Amino acid sequence: MHFIKTLPFILITLLFIGCGENTKNPVTSDILSITIDDNSTTSGFIYATDTNKTLKATVHYQDGTSLDASDYVTWKNSNFDVLSMYRGEYSAVANGGKSTISIEYGNFYDSLDIEVYALKSNSLAIFTTNDINTTGTFSIEAKGDFIDIDTNATVDTNRTILNNILWSTTNDAVITIDDNNLVEVEIINTGETNITASVFDYNVTKTFIIN
Amino acid sequence: MKKIILFLLLISSFLYAEAKLYTGFSYGIYDENFIEGNKAQSSSSFMKIKAGYGDIDAYAIEFSIDKLKNESNIFSANDSEKIGLNVELIKAFDFNLFANPFFKAGFGAGYLKIDRATQDTLNYGSFNLGVGFFIPVNPHFDFELAYDYKYMTYEAIDTIARQISYKSNLNSAYFGFNVRF
């Protein structure tokens, strides 16, 4: 009698459980590979005086999808004497050279060789957009030619120098550099003002005489 | 700390009353529905061996190892069976019927082997609840029929860019026997 009372419970349980199915394909696609992506037009090289470039790490899955994994992989730089690098953001610290940036996660790996194009000797020059013949504030910039050290071939000319540059002045002139690396000099006093740009081992000075 | 000691003394006093060591074997079927993470389902059979100490019509503490057969591939293309260890406290009743109803609560932990690029095992933990009947044949042998519920929490799946956590409800029914010494 009591067994009969428990029978519905047993049957309902078995019915409930018997309805089960099995998922046959993994619901989370497995990892296929990781890659370093450089979406810039200058992939594989950087000019010695350019501002930071940013690489991206991408994880690719077996179902064809991919996600940005830049914050999760381990970034490595083979030569910190040539490049500075943190989590894929890098810039040159030497006038020429090569380094390999790589990413790792478990058994997954990818790398990208980066060459630093060097500022050519005797090509550094200071330019102004207007003639400086009075006191006031003026835009200035330094430009130079760049070469591939391996082949000594010129790869760019009159390229504006945005990084690894030191400015100095005389005659109390003041240099300011904004967030976009635009440089202005404020000529305060009359007389001779020297403006010097130093890039790695190269220096160039331009003199302005204000009456 | 005092509460824990008092609780353990209380449990031990319950267990001491006509308590016996027992061991048993069960076989059943289960259905697991994943409720967090991507939706999935797994159903198959399982077996369980256990050892306990307690009374068939009062309290008992039970340790069990269960082995859940796997016919699904949820975490990888080649998921293995699950092996788990459970600890449960059982309260049974004697209503002078042919069967002693019981309920139980406890927790467990286990693992399964998976075949993913960055992981080859996946651990899980569970909170366990169950109801059922002991059907005594004689003082040393009884059958057991029960329903178990487990709330399962799995170690996260590593996809590099994301950590995906899975949780599931596992319902099972089993039939088994116990030998009491």
Side-chain angles (χ1 to χ4, degrees):
Chain A
M1 182 64 185
H2 292 292
F3 181 74
I4 292 170
K5 286 182 180 177
T6 62
L7 196 57
F9 163 74
I10 297 166
L11 292 176
I12 290 168
T13 303
L14 292 176
L15 181 66
F16 174 65
I17 291 167
C19 290
E21 295 177 356
N22 281 294
T23 301
K24 292 296 184 185
N25 295 309
V27 291
T28 303
S29 187
D30 206 355
I31 302 157
L32 184 65
S33 63
I34 58 174
T35 55
I36 294 182
D37 299 326
D38 184 351
N39 296 322
S40 72
T41 55
T42 58
S43 178
F45 64 89
I46 185 170
Y47 293 93
T49 57
D50 275 5
T51 52
N52 289 359
K53 287 178 68 176
T54 302
L55 299 171
K56 194 173 87 170
T58 303
V59 53
H60 304 273
Y61 299 102
Q62 290 179 349
D63 64 359
T65 60
S66 59
L67 285 173
D68 184 351
S70 302
D71 292 338
Y72 307 103
V73 298
T74 301
W75 291 88
K76 289 186 176 177
N77 176 18
S78 69
N79 194 346
F80 276 93
D81 292 332
V82 172
L83 291 181
S84 69
M85 192 276 297
Y86 179 72
R87 286 193 173 182
E89 188 171 313
Y90 69 98
S91 63
V93 294
N95 191 32
K98 290 179 179 175
S99 184
T100 301
I101 292 176
S102 59
I103 53 172
E104 288 179 15
Y105 194 97
N107 295 324
F108 294 100
Y109 174 87
D110 192 28
S111 65
L112 180 68
D113 293 329
I114 306 286
E115 180 176 359
V116 176
Y117 287 157
L119 177 65
K120 190 177 180 179
S121 62
N122 301 317
S123 72
L124 183 62
I126 294 173
F127 295 84
T128 58
T129 51
N130 303 100
D131 291 337
I132 300 177
N133 51 19
T134 181
T135 56
T137 301
F138 305 89
S139 294
I140 58 172
E141 60 183 351
K143 293 184 177 183
D145 300 338
F146 289 80
I147 57 169
D148 180 337
I149 287 180
D150 286 344
T151 61
N152 213 32
T154 300
V155 291
D156 199 7
T157 57
N158 276 331
R159 186 175 184 85
T160 301
I161 291 166
L162 302 171
N163 193 18
N164 292 320
I165 183 169
L166 286 174
W167 292 95
S168 57
T169 60
T170 61
N171 201 24
D172 296 331
V174 177
I175 295 281
T176 56
I177 304 171
D178 72 8
D179 293 340
N180 296 317
N181 293 298
L182 297 175
V183 185
E184 287 184 331
V185 59
E186 183 182 5
I187 306 290
I188 297 170
N189 300 317
T190 57
E192 182 178 295
T193 298
N194 293 317
I195 299 174
T196 301
S198 301
V199 181
F200 299 113
D201 296 329
Y202 307 125
N203 299 298
V204 63
T205 299
K206 194 161 187 175
T207 302
F208 301 95
I209 298 174
I210 312 301
N211 295 315
Chain B
M1 190 62 188
K2 284 181 180 175
K3 287 179 180 176
I4 293 171
I5 292 169
L6 284 172
F7 178 74
L8 292 174
L9 286 172
L10 182 67
I11 295 301
S12 62
S13 66
F14 286 138
L15 297 178
Y16 184 71
E18 299 181 51
K20 289 178 181 175
L21 279 171
Y22 66 94
T23 185
F25 174 83
S26 303
Y27 181 84
I29 52 178
Y30 75 90
D31 179 67
E32 183 178 17
N33 281 284
F34 287 79
I35 54 174
E36 201 165 297
N38 296 318
K39 301 298 179 196
Q41 191 171 2
S42 180
S43 301
S44 192
S45 59
F46 73 97
M47 63 178 73
K48 177 163 63 175
I49 56 170
K50 60 186 178 179
Y53 181 74
D55 195 351
I56 195 170
D57 55 12
Y59 286 91
I61 187 163
E62 187 173 287
F63 297 87
S64 64
I65 295 173
D66 52 24
K67 181 175 174 182
L68 284 72
K69 191 178 170 187
N70 183 51
E71 295 174 28
S72 61
N73 290 315
I74 293 170
F75 305 105
S76 72
N78 189 21
D79 292 353
S80 78
E81 62 198 10
K82 297 185 184 81
I83 307 285
L85 174 67
N86 304 284
V87 181
E88 288 160 340
L89 184 65
I90 298 174
K91 173 68 178 98
F93 303 90
D94 183 1
F95 294 131
N96 290 319
L97 304 174
F98 78 102
N100 290 3
F102 70 81
F103 66 85
K104 60 184 177 179
F107 55 89
Y111 74 96
L112 71 156
K113 290 183 178 174
I114 60 174
D115 185 17
R116 292 188 66 85
T118 55
Q119 287 167 293
D120 54 13
T121 58
L122 200 63
N123 300 305
Y124 63 85
S126 67
F127 289 107
N128 308 346
L129 295 171
V131 293
F133 299 92
F134 293 122
I135 306 169
V137 176
N138 61 46
H140 298 291
F141 188 84
D142 59 87
F143 290 108
E144 181 179 343
L145 183 66
Y147 159 80
D148 275 359
Y149 165 79
K150 289 184 180 180
Y151 179 72
M152 312 267 283
T153 304
Y154 288 86
E155 179 186 358
I157 292 285
D158 182 5
T159 67
I160 299 180
R162 288 184 299 167
Q163 302 286 320
I164 301 174
S165 298
Y166 286 90
K167 290 178 179 171
S168 69
N169 292 318
L170 189 148
N171 297 282
S172 63
Y174 65 86
F175 182 75
F177 65 87
N178 300 309
V179 178
R180 295 176 190 270
F181 304 102

